[in-house]
């Protein structure tokens, strides 16, 4: 096995693919109260800007309460660490795992407990900066408190207390509304950005996923302020590539070509909608989609005879239908801001426009999401009769589309 590994590494190095001298070395250590021998800490690479993940490495705990890992990486990397106990299961949390940015030569340390392992205190590398440590301390405190509501929800459900469970779920979902701690967190983030106009690796990692709905001029101004070193870093190169994509998707630019396989067996392309307004609507099983769906249907009914066409994109209609059929008819199923989601799901299943699914054997549908930088629900892309992008974004994208239709074809 060692000989095979040596041959692979040698061949890769001779081809210029891999050179051990160019790899970054790093160490991750942890002092986590409650870790047991045999527990597993799973590390995944987080692939920005879309937050996809891929396996990186696993650490099996050998000594209770502590772990250590020495590794190598090709470039600076964002990792997500999740906990797998040797016995029982890990409970759900507000945060799916602890995220840590590792750069060349770092020795990153995590201190915490198994109970709140996703909110461990980080030190070493970029995490020795006092301002950043304070920012993360405030964020961890808030998210840890919110996660406690989710724990109480799970406990209530295990007791069969559905009323109590709903109360804890409501508290969880409404946690950030009028929360003074949340405003303090936002103020600290704003101050951190103000104090680092030249940028930091941490800011780059935070900004990358936000580029899909950040005004292009603002995103360009941020990049122009980065230091030369940051621009040339791995995350800096990702930023400029993503920024170039967003500039191609800015209002007024030609809509990129696309092809979609629809649920009724057709294939549609951008050419099929030329001469009409096209609203592409990414929807799914989320409160935002359920809250805005009626407004989208109303807009479609109002303007469908005046040149508006809609294409709906969702992951799996079968999954939505399955949930709809499982929900009780004789009593409401509430969600935050919604008294009963079953009738809303029923109306979603009766959309009068063209639908396309993403979880199919049609890779062109998933390619649309990547081409148009769509990563959440509900998200909208609005294209004019001349094939140019008029608006794109979450709720604001819909509001812009509605305003344009009212102004250009409304009565």
């Amino acid at each position: 096995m060692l000989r095979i590994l040596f041959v692979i590494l040698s061949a890769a190095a001779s081809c210029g693919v891999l050179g051990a001298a160019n790899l970054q070395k790093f160490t991750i250590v942890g002092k986590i109260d409650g870790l047991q021998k045999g527990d597993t800490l799973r590390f995944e690479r987080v692939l920005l800007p879309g937050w996809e993940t891929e396996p990186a490495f696993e650490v099996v705990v050998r000594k209770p309460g502590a772990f250590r890992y020495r590794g190598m990486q090709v470039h600076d990397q964002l990792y997500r660490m999740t906990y797998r106990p040797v016995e029982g299961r890990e409970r759900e949390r507000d945060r799916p795992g602890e995220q840590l940015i590792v750069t060349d030569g770092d020795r990153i340390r995590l201190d915490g407990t198994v109970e709140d392992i996703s909110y461990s205190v980080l030190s070493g590398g970029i995490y020795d900066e006092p301002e950043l440590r304070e920012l993360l301390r405030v964020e961890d405190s808030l998210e840890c408190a919110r996660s406690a509501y989710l724990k109480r929800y799970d406990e209530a459900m295990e007791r069969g207390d559905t009323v109590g469970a709903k109360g804890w779920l409501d508290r969880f979902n409404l946690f950030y509304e009028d929360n003074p701690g949340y405003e303090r967190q936002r103020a600290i983030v704003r101050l951190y950005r103000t104090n680092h106009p030249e940028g930091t690796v941490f800011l780059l990692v935070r900004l990358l996923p936000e580029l899909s709905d950040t005004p292009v001029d603002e995103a360009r101004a941020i990049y122009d302020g980065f230091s030369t070193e940051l621009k040339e870093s791995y995350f800096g190169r990702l930023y400029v590539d993503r920024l170039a994509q967003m500039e191609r998707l800015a209002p007024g630019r030609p809509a990129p070509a696309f092809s979609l396989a629809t649920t009724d067996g057709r294939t549609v392309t951008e050419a099929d909608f030329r001469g009409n307004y096209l609203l592409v609507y990414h929807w799914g099983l989320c409160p935002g989609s359920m809250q805005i769906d009626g407004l989208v249907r109303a807009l479609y009914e109002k303007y469908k005879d005046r040149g508006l066409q809609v294409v709906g994109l969702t992951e799996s209609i079968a999954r939505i239908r399955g949930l709809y059929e499982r929900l009780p008819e004789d009593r409401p199923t509430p969600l935050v801001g919604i008294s009963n989601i079953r009738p809303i799901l029923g109306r979603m299943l009766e959309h009068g426009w063209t639908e396309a699914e993403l979880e199919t054997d049609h890779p062109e549908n998933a390619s649309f999401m990547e081409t148009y930088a769509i990563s959440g629900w509900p998200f909208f892309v609005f294209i004019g009769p001349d094939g140019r992008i008029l608006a794109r974004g979450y709720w604001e994208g819909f509001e812009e589309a509605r305003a344009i239709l009212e102004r250009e074809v409304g009565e």
Side-chain angles (χ1 to χ4, degrees), residues 22 32 35 57 77 83 141 149 178 289 335 342 344 398:
N22 296 323
I32 308 295
L35 275 183
F57 54 89
Q77 185 64 61
Y83 169 58
S141 177
Y149 291 156
D178 300 321
S289 292
L335 196 62
R342 191 175 194 275
I344 294 176
F398 173 76

Side-chain angles (χ1 to χ4, degrees), residues 153 156-157 161-173 333-336 338-339:
Y153 165 80
M157 289 297 291
D161 179 9
T162 56
V163 174
K166 179 186 178 301
W168 288 115
L169 187 60
D170 286 346
R171 290 183 179 90
F172 175 82
N173 286 315
T333 303
L335 196 62
V336 176
I338 302 171
S339 59

Side-chain angles (χ1 to χ4, degrees), residues 95 119 121 130-144 184 188:
R95 183 185 292 176
Y119 311 95
V121 176
E131 275 188 283
L132 179 56
R133 293 191 68 163
E134 174 61 12
L135 186 158
L136 294 177
R137 186 191 68 78
V138 172
E139 289 188 345
D140 287 352
S141 177
L142 280 171
E143 292 187 28
C144 193
R184 180 168 179 250
I188 290 175

Side-chain angles (χ1 to χ4, degrees), residues 273-292:
F273 302 98
R274 191 61 60 90
N276 294 285
Y277 292 93
L278 171 62
L279 183 67
V280 180
Y281 168 36
H282 180 221
W283 62 283
L285 288 174
C286 73
S289 292
M290 295 179 194
Q291 291 165 354
I292 205 171

